[in-house]
Amino acid sequence: GHPLYGKEMAEAQILSDAYIAIKDGKILAVGTGQPDPELIDDHTEVKSCEGKVATPGLIDCHTHLVYGGSREHEFAKKLAGVSYLDILAQGGGILSTVRATREASFDNLYDKSERLLDYMLRHGVTTVEAKSGYGLDWETEKRQLDVAALDRDHEIDLVSTFMAAHAIPTEYKGRSQEYLDLIVEQMLPKVKEEKLAEFCDIFCEKGVFTADESRYLLSKAKEMGFKLRIHADEIESIGGVDVAAELESTSAEHLMVITDEGIQKLAKAKVIGNLLPATTFSLMEDTYAPARKMLDAGMAITLTTDSNPGSCPTANLQFAMHLGCFMMRLTPVEILNAVTINAAYSVDRAKTIGSFDVGKQADITIFDAPNLDYLFYFFATNLVTDVYKKGQKVI
Ligand code: NIG
Ligand code: FE
């Protein structure tokens, strides 16, 4: 299988008068009317959701879930027009959350993350990707990754990404190469050995890491067996897209200011575009990623929250979906494919989640809506009424 590319994203099988039969936490059958009685035994559960919409459990494939503190003290600056990169350059922004995260205990980080996951679940999300990157030292990065292993206790499944290259820590100011060497020589081997994360990510941005630095880190990570992601073309276009294409990164994130040439490169290299329209909204910009151009070029895209304390403090994937519709003019089917099957590919879980294919995990989100269009027509309201995880009702 492969993600849905370009025009394929407009395709979906939509059933009315449908049932879903579940056995042992997995999809046994999906169809219209009544299931074949031969399929059904005492261990089979059949759901009918008359008058409602059922989709595969939503997948939020880009979040910065685990962090200390919050940043509402920067909100007034933001409202007054001080830019995100200026706040960071003044030692605020990500670096302010780094200070708070270093000070936070495991239990504090755990409780905060658990609460965020609870919000996400209530909004219909059943799988979440979570990045580290607010420690920028081994001890704290590890604590974040250990917290992200909390899916052992939570209904939501988590996929971890190691992102110590999220900013240059104050103690390494002006010595970014030395910091990258520390990541490559000391942190990455431990993450690998202790199986703390599957993916490696970096913030390729003006004033943060250059394209060459991103290439260096990600190629080392790739050699060590990590799958790759890269925050690229979020605020300035400085070459992160080329790195994503060259290294065949699984995904490239943001892409708000990507060029037409960049889109062609990602399409050709089959890099998934993880788009974060709620970040554009929260940054109070009008640079929504050119999603339609990406589809026209044959790219696969996802929509995801970027949930984090700075550029996008929200836990509601439906809000990103609504912006995908209203600001990017994506259709309901394209959006649902973005947050289910394509997001499953983005987190490398397409064998088990992201669609109602027989045998996949019975992760199901049910909306109080008579049809798909209604999900987008009636906006800014949480329409989720029920969530099933591995066949169990969790909401
Ligand atoms: O994806 N761009 C870099 N990282 C996050 C923001 C993190 C923060 O501001 O705390 C993002 O937007
Ligand atoms: Fe991000």
Side-chain angles (χ1 to χ4, degrees):
H2 62 76
L4 300 176
Y5 292 107
K7 285 192 182 59
E8 293 167 352
M9 287 192 72
E11 291 161 22
Q13 239 187 313
I14 302 166
L15 305 180
S16 36
D17 186 24
Y19 68 83
I20 302 172
I22 299 168
K23 191 175 182 183
D24 301 329
K26 297 194 172 131
I27 305 284
L28 177 71
V30 179
T32 41
Q34 292 298 318
D36 179 352
E38 273 176 30
L39 270 178
I40 309 301
D41 61 26
D42 291 350
H43 305 285
T44 318
E45 223 186 314
V46 182
K47 313 255 171 236
S48 107
C49 22
E50 228 186 306
K52 297 202 174 182
V53 168
T55 68
L58 308 182
I59 301 166
D60 197 343
C61 64
H62 176 144
T63 84
H64 304 254
L65 179 80
V66 185
Y67 55 85
S70 56
R71 304 230 290 274
E72 66 275 23
H73 56 276
E74 287 171 0
F75 196 66
K77 275 194 191 179
K78 182 161 113 173
L79 265 179
V82 185
S83 83
Y84 180 80
L85 289 181
D86 284 342
I87 294 176
L88 179 61
Q90 292 163 12
I94 296 176
L95 293 172
S96 140
T97 300
V98 167
R99 289 188 291 275
T101 308
R102 286 179 178 179
E103 277 166 21
S105 66
F106 176 90
D107 287 348
N108 176 276
L109 294 176
Y110 184 99
D111 291 347
K112 278 168 71 79
S113 308
E114 190 178 38
R115 192 168 62 185
L116 272 175
L117 289 177
D118 288 344
Y119 287 144
M120 290 174 177
L121 189 68
R122 271 186 254 144
H123 286 91
V125 171
T126 51
T127 300
V128 167
E129 183 255 17
K131 303 173 197 296
S132 70
Y134 291 119
L136 314 185
D137 61 27
W138 173 245
E139 198 195 312
T140 319
E141 290 288 318
K142 173 165 163 49
R143 192 156 69 246
Q144 282 190 276
L145 293 172
D146 285 342
V147 168
L150 79 85
D151 67 338
R152 283 187 298 254
D153 317 334
H154 200 279
E155 291 88 350
I156 288 187
D157 283 330
L158 284 159
V159 178
S160 280
T161 296
F162 177 60
M163 197 180 178
H166 193 196
I168 298 153
T170 317
E171 28 336 335
Y172 281 87
K173 201 168 179 189
R175 299 186 293 136
S176 53
Q177 185 56 43
E178 274 174 62
Y179 179 55
L180 289 173
D181 283 335
L182 177 82
I183 296 177
V184 167
E185 286 159 22
Q186 304 198 20
M187 299 194 204
L188 275 175
K190 284 190 253 187
V191 175
K192 190 83 216 165
E193 198 185 297
E194 298 181 35
K195 296 198 173 75
L196 295 172
E198 291 173 39
F199 288 86
C200 181
D201 197 343
I202 185 167
F203 190 13
C204 181
E205 186 57 65
K206 190 176 158 209
V208 194
F209 294 101
T210 65
D212 280 339
E213 288 169 338
S214 304
R215 187 177 285 109
Y216 168 74
L217 174 70
L218 293 183
S219 56
K220 293 286 182 193
K222 186 173 180 172
E223 278 168 26
M224 294 171 68
F226 286 91
K227 293 168 273 195
L228 310 180
R229 305 191 182 289
I230 178 168
H231 282 59
D233 285 12
E234 177 178 355
I235 298 161
E236 304 258 349
S237 184
I238 63 161
V241 161
D242 297 81
V243 177
E246 274 164 48
L247 297 178
E248 294 173 332
S249 183
T250 301
S251 64
E253 330 292 301
H254 288 290
L255 309 175
M256 282 153 60
V257 296
I258 192 171
T259 61
D260 291 350
E261 202 193 339
I263 292 176
Q264 292 303 330
K265 284 181 186 163
L266 293 188
K268 191 155 172 253
K270 299 203 175 328
V271 176
I272 298 172
N274 284 342
L275 310 185
L276 308 137
T279 304
T280 310
F281 175 88
S282 161
L283 290 174
M284 302 177 183
E285 302 284 354
D286 51 14
T287 43
Y288 287 91
R292 181 60 56 200
K293 278 190 183 176
M294 293 176 185
L295 294 185
D296 288 345
M299 272 179 74
I301 61 168
T302 73
L303 290 171
T304 158
T305 57
D306 200 16
S307 184
N308 72 68
S311 69
C312 201
T314 181
N316 182 1
L317 181 58
Q318 289 175 55
F319 183 64
M321 293 161 65
H322 286 152
L323 290 175
C325 185
F326 286 83
M327 305 311 290
M328 295 168 155
R329 302 296 174 107
L330 295 170
T331 67
V333 169
E334 287 168 339
I335 292 166
L336 285 166
N337 279 327
V339 296
T340 56
I341 188 63
N342 277 9
Y345 276 100
S346 177
V347 294
D348 194 22
R349 293 286 187 278
K351 284 202 173 72
T352 49
I353 55 172
S355 70
F356 287 148
D357 285 345
V358 172
K360 281 197 183 180
Q361 225 166 269
D363 293 0
I364 306 169
T365 299
I366 295 177
F367 298 86
D368 188 17
N371 54 58
L372 272 196
D373 281 349
Y374 193 95
L375 282 186
F376 295 87
Y377 152 79
F378 200 87
F379 68 98
T381 306
N382 183 15
L383 294 177
V384 169
T385 55
D386 308 81
V387 178
Y388 291 84
K389 184 70 190 176
K390 297 176 187 146
Q392 300 294 320
K393 186 162 157 53
V394 290
I395 293 286

